[in-house]
Amino acid sequence: MGVTVGASRLGLGVLRRLPASSRPLVRPGAVPAGIVHLGLGAFHRAHQAVYTEEAVAAAGGDWGIVGVAPRSTDMVTKLAAQDCLFSVTSTSGAGNQTRVVGALAGARHAAGDPTAIVALLADPAIRVVTLTVTEKAYQLDPATGRLRPDEAVLADLTTDRPPQTVPGLLVRGLLARAVAEAGPIALVSCDNLPSNGERLHSLVGQALQVVGDAADGRSERVADWLRENVSFPGTMVDRIVPASTPQTLADAQAALGVSDLAAVAAEPYRQWVIEDRFPGGRPAWERAGAVLTDDAGPWERLKLRALNGVHSATAYLGALAGRETIAEALEIPHLAGVLRRLIAEDVAASFTPPDGVSVVDYGEEVLERFANPVIRHRTIQIAMDGSQKLPQRVLHTIADLRAAGARPRWATLVVAAWMRFAQGHADDGTSLPLDDPLADRIRAALAAGRRSPAGAVEALFGLTEVFPAELAADDEVRDLVVGWLTALDRHGVEKTLAGAA
């Protein structure tokens, strides 16, 4: 089914025509902006925007969201034509539920007018900035968490040109806010980074040091203001939100009776854990089901290791076995059993979960969610940016197990599956894309070690941005990865899993 050309588009003029169950809880324009969100992608629209709309509907407050797209104009254009309305379809084998969300008070394009975004960040009405910009946009070394600025970031921090990067926008905005004494603000990372609040805080501090080095100590004055007025709450976010497809738009049109070019689909499950440190106030997100806590760390580790790590494992092994989606990958014989052992024997033993939470039970819920046949989450999409994702999703599990003297049998299978995936072809010879910031270096390492699995492991362990030196020097970890990679090279995924089960 396709989207009907010329059909009425979702907007204020058609709200009364929508089914009552699908109408927004908050009418766009009725709630002034109090939040800026950087990253106007599908995840934000299906997660933070939904929580915020429900919180405002339940408890009030001037908490409209101005969504900022850092690069592409596509979503800004679509939302502007729809009065910033969009729909979210919760989809499962039991059927679909579509609702229209009115949380957005505006949509802006950072690259088109960065000066206006800086001014927005310095506006006293804005008291919260949230981010979903992916790991790459933070410009952080995954091993050390230190800022690793490229030429564009350095130019943003040391010249007066309009900023072009996320670190540049944030720091310029904070500098302007400090000068204007515009009041306290919280910067809230909602990306899958370990200790995401601490990392964002570190990024800003290090970026201000670069500014200070080029501006005669200006950052020192701002640093004093920051300590008194800016917080960096940590978070854990969870909802499976695949990239929108023509079918997503068609399903929304069928449910609403009008076209929605910004429609997103998601699984019914959602979770948001937030450290409650907001000096300028916040929406009543707990009224929408969010968990407010003093420490999001245990929740973050639970999700990164028992969900994201298992997601990556399923993606690499599924793609190698020729499965297009995560749900299809779970149908590979023995894969679900191997993933259960990964969760129970490696992940659960690697950290202390939140009070009252069973890692094994959480893992069972994860596998049930992954098996949702309607969520067509592509294995290739999940496999992207492996060098950025692998450390926090899998390598931290391995490191913590080794520190406890344990043998990380199943977690090393995930590392080997990533290495096998990086070779660029599935078990049947089909080409696989290597979409990764370190793609050239990964290919060069594989070329250097191509004569054997042991050579490939040796070469890839030399990528210090990915593999910490202590882990790379661990003979037991190395032997386990070599053994798995040898099996995957010789026998393919299905026979390897059958032999391991």
Side-chain angles (χ1 to χ4, degrees):
M1 179 179 176
V3 176
T4 303
V5 176
S8 297
R9 189 179 295 185
L10 185 62
L12 294 177
V14 302
L15 287 184
R16 287 176 295 178
R17 292 167 46 195
L18 296 177
S21 61
S22 296
R23 293 173 188 166
L25 300 176
V26 173
R27 184 183 177 93
V31 178
I35 301 172
V36 167
H37 181 80
L38 300 181
L40 200 48
F43 184 81
H44 167 69
R45 302 200 306 280
H47 191 274
Q48 296 94 36
V50 172
Y51 274 98
T52 300
E53 182 188 54
E54 292 180 5
V56 170
D62 294 344
W63 296 112
I65 302 170
V66 179
V68 178
R71 296 293 180 190
S72 173
T73 62
D74 180 60
M75 188 51 57
V76 174
T77 300
K78 290 174 180 175
L79 287 166
Q82 300 181 176
D83 299 311
C84 289
L85 292 167
F86 62 91
S87 65
V88 178
T89 297
S90 296
T91 181
S92 71
N96 294 347
Q97 288 187 321
T98 300
R99 59 179 286 188
V100 174
V101 178
L104 292 181
R108 308 292 291 270
H109 179 227
D113 193 356
T115 302
I117 306 306
V118 170
L120 188 62
L121 295 173
D123 187 333
I126 302 301
R127 288 98 76 203
V128 175
V129 177
T130 53
L131 300 90
T132 52
V133 291
T134 77
E135 295 94 332
K136 289 183 287 188
Y138 288 79
Q139 297 285 332
L140 294 172
D141 185 319
T144 66
R146 300 286 300 174
L147 181 66
R148 191 175 55 191
D150 60 14
E151 183 177 340
V153 173
L154 286 173
D156 283 353
L157 300 178
T158 60
T159 74
D160 292 329
R161 72 153 197 204
Q164 299 178 4
T165 67
V166 168
L169 284 169
L170 289 177
V171 170
R172 292 284 194 89
L174 289 174
L175 287 168
R177 194 174 185 92
V179 169
E181 295 187 355
I185 192 168
L187 270 57
V188 188
S189 171
C190 299
D191 285 294
N192 285 319
L193 291 167
S195 304
N196 56 10
E198 293 177 13
R199 290 211 171 198
L200 182 57
H201 192 178
S202 178
L203 179 155
V204 169
Q206 292 172 57
L208 283 170
Q209 184 60 55
V210 175
V211 171
D213 292 343
D216 299 325
R218 180 170 46 149
S219 70
E220 184 175 341
R221 297 191 299 274
V222 175
D224 292 338
W225 184 87
L226 279 174
R227 281 189 289 271
E228 298 176 3
N229 293 279
V230 184
S231 69
F232 299 84
T235 67
M236 186 277 275
V237 298
D238 191 6
R239 194 174 195 183
I240 297 175
V241 185
S244 295
T245 66
Q247 188 62 49
T248 308
L249 308 188
D251 289 343
Q253 182 171 327
L256 302 174
V258 294
S259 171
D260 175 12
L261 298 184
V264 293
E267 66 169 338
Y269 180 95
R270 71 184 194 199
Q271 188 175 42
W272 195 5
V273 179
I274 313 164
E275 292 176 351
D276 198 3
R277 295 186 284 113
F278 290 83
R282 60 165 176 81
W285 283 312
E286 69 276 15
R287 297 284 296 273
V291 175
L292 278 298
T293 182
D294 292 333
D295 182 11
W299 294 95
E300 168 205 292
R301 287 185 285 278
L302 176 70
K303 194 241 180 173
L304 283 170
R305 300 185 188 196
L307 187 143
N308 296 126
V310 174
H311 217 193
S312 290
T314 309
Y316 298 134
L317 293 165
L320 290 169
R323 303 311 201 267
E324 182 181 359
T325 70
I326 294 295
E328 291 166 356
L330 281 176
E331 297 176 357
I332 298 170
H334 306 292
L335 178 57
V338 165
L339 295 176
R340 286 187 173 93
R341 296 190 71 176
L342 167 65
I343 294 164
E345 298 175 21
D346 285 4
V347 173
S350 71
F351 76 108
T352 301
D355 289 343
V357 175
S358 162
V359 177
V360 172
D361 291 346
Y362 178 88
E364 282 298 319
E365 186 176 40
V366 163
L367 294 178
E368 182 179 347
R369 293 166 58 194
F370 287 176
N372 184 343
V374 188
I375 297 292
R376 296 189 59 79
H377 221 172
R378 297 176 64 240
T379 53
I380 296 300
Q381 179 189 0
I382 307 306
M384 291 171 55
D385 301 331
S387 69
Q388 304 286 300
K389 297 173 179 176
L390 204 65
Q392 59 264 25
R393 295 186 177 196
V394 180
L395 300 185
H396 289 175
T397 296
I398 294 174
D400 287 344
L401 287 171
R402 294 302 293 144
R407 187 171 182 265
R409 182 185 180 196
W410 305 105
T412 50
L413 168 60
V414 188
V415 176
W418 171 72
M419 292 180 175
R420 175 69 184 80
F421 177 88
Q423 293 176 8
H425 57 88
D427 292 343
D428 65 0
T430 302
S431 179
L432 294 173
L434 181 59
D435 189 341
D436 193 287
L438 298 183
D440 290 343
R441 294 191 57 200
I442 292 167
R443 292 191 185 100
L446 287 169
R450 66 172 49 181
R451 287 175 293 182
S452 69
V457 172
E458 175 72 25
L460 288 169
F461 271 14
L463 296 175
T464 56
E465 301 94 329
V466 181
F467 295 98
E470 185 175 359
L471 187 148
D474 189 318
D475 290 338
E476 184 158 6
V477 171
R478 184 185 301 265
D479 289 345
L480 284 165
V481 176
V482 170
W484 285 120
L485 185 56
T486 300
L488 291 170
D489 279 349
R490 291 179 180 174
H491 308 301
V493 168
E494 294 197 25
K495 289 185 178 179
T496 295
L497 295 178

